[in-house]
Amino acid sequence: MSDTLQKLQWRYATKKFDPTRKLSPEQLECILEAIRLTATSSGLQPYEVLVVNNPELRARIQPHAWNQAQVTEASHLLVFAAWDNYTAERINAMFDLVNEARGFRNEGWENYRNFLLQTYPPRDPEVNFQHAARQAYIGLGSALIAAAELKVDCTPMEGFDPDKVDEILDLRARGLRSVLMLPLGYRAEQGDWLVDLKKVRRAREQFVTEID
């Protein structure tokens, strides 16, 4: 078994963190960079990651996240927030960034820009938000793997009231809506009912279908 698979076998959705143990700045940056480098549809990166360090804000979020202790006890709390809509300004900004970084303009790339400009902004904003939110889930996957590689514990969370989190973090003013939360830290030595239980997944033959 590869080292990566061994670490994925090790990871689990941590239920109780040790609040005295903190990630190093280097560990946190590695996980954030893994998210930043993640693939997104058309390369638009239509979401942002907020690192909520303020303990008062985290305490305000906790009651709106089913009172899950991980929100306040973990070393760090990441909030994945997707664009509330695709706009011409946002699409153009990403295409212009690519052109600037690569130092040239490509006709096919510019044609694709125009295609997206004609397709995305006219759509219903909720359709666009849902599409952007799915990109955040791809980033979550990268974060889970990066954390496992570093032997950092984490707990992906959908169990929270997005409207309340948006209000607490003032996300709507930035054109963002919360999608996921990811506490990061280290499992407590005692008190986590899930820590020693066998990881259970469907058998490969029930999960993977090979089509020749």
Side-chain angles (χ1 to χ4, degrees):
M1 184 184 296
S2 75
D3 187 55
T4 296
L5 292 182
Q6 288 179 340
K7 288 174 178 175
L8 289 175
Q9 181 70 29
W10 166 86
R11 73 149 301 278
Y12 74 111
T14 305
K15 302 305 179 186
K16 185 172 180 57
F17 285 94
D18 181 347
T20 68
R21 297 188 64 190
K22 304 298 181 183
L23 272 69
S24 70
E26 294 77 16
Q27 289 173 314
L28 176 61
E29 285 306 312
C30 182
I31 294 169
L32 293 173
E33 186 67 358
I35 301 169
R36 191 183 72 88
L37 293 174
T38 297
T40 57
S41 179
S42 302
L44 292 176
Q45 291 185 282
Y47 66 94
E48 297 181 18
V49 179
L50 293 86
V51 184
V52 185
N53 294 318
N54 187 305
E56 294 181 2
L57 288 178
R58 289 168 63 170
R60 289 176 59 193
I61 290 172
Q62 186 176 2
H64 305 293
W66 300 354
N67 282 314
Q68 294 176 90
Q70 299 98 313
V71 172
T72 54
E73 291 182 351
S75 171
H76 291 78
L77 177 65
L78 306 187
V79 176
F80 292 69
W83 290 354
D84 59 359
N85 198 3
Y86 286 111
T87 64
E89 291 76 14
R90 282 171 160 167
I91 292 171
N92 282 324
M94 289 306 299
F95 274 78
D96 290 344
L97 176 62
V98 170
N99 289 341
E100 179 182 356
R102 293 177 177 170
F104 65 90
R105 297 171 70 91
N106 176 276
E107 181 180 359
W109 184 239
E110 291 304 316
N111 289 338
Y112 189 59
R113 179 208 297 256
N114 291 328
F115 168 76
L116 293 186
L117 290 172
Q118 294 167 13
T119 304
Y120 283 14
R123 294 192 309 199
D124 182 271
E126 183 63 22
V127 171
N128 284 336
F129 164 69
Q130 293 297 335
H131 182 271
R134 288 194 291 274
Q135 310 311 304
Y137 280 85
I138 303 173
L140 173 68
S142 294
L144 296 180
I145 295 171
E149 287 282 356
L150 296 170
K151 283 297 188 81
V152 168
D153 289 297
C154 60
T155 308
M157 287 185 175
E158 290 182 308
F160 64 94
D161 184 335
D163 290 333
K164 291 296 185 181
V165 172
D166 292 353
E167 179 183 343
I168 292 168
L169 300 179
D170 198 25
L171 296 181
R172 298 298 177 97
R174 298 175 54 184
L176 299 170
R177 294 169 58 182
S178 57
V179 177
L180 300 156
M181 296 198 300
L182 185 67
L184 298 167
Y186 294 96
R187 62 191 69 174
E189 292 187 4
Q190 295 181 339
D192 190 335
W193 63 271
L194 188 57
V195 63
D196 292 322
L197 295 184
K198 180 180 178 63
K199 184 187 288 289
V200 180
R201 298 292 188 269
R202 284 154 52 196
R204 184 186 187 279
E205 57 268 23
Q206 296 174 335
F207 186 73
V208 176
T209 298
E210 297 191 29
I211 302 175
D212 296 324

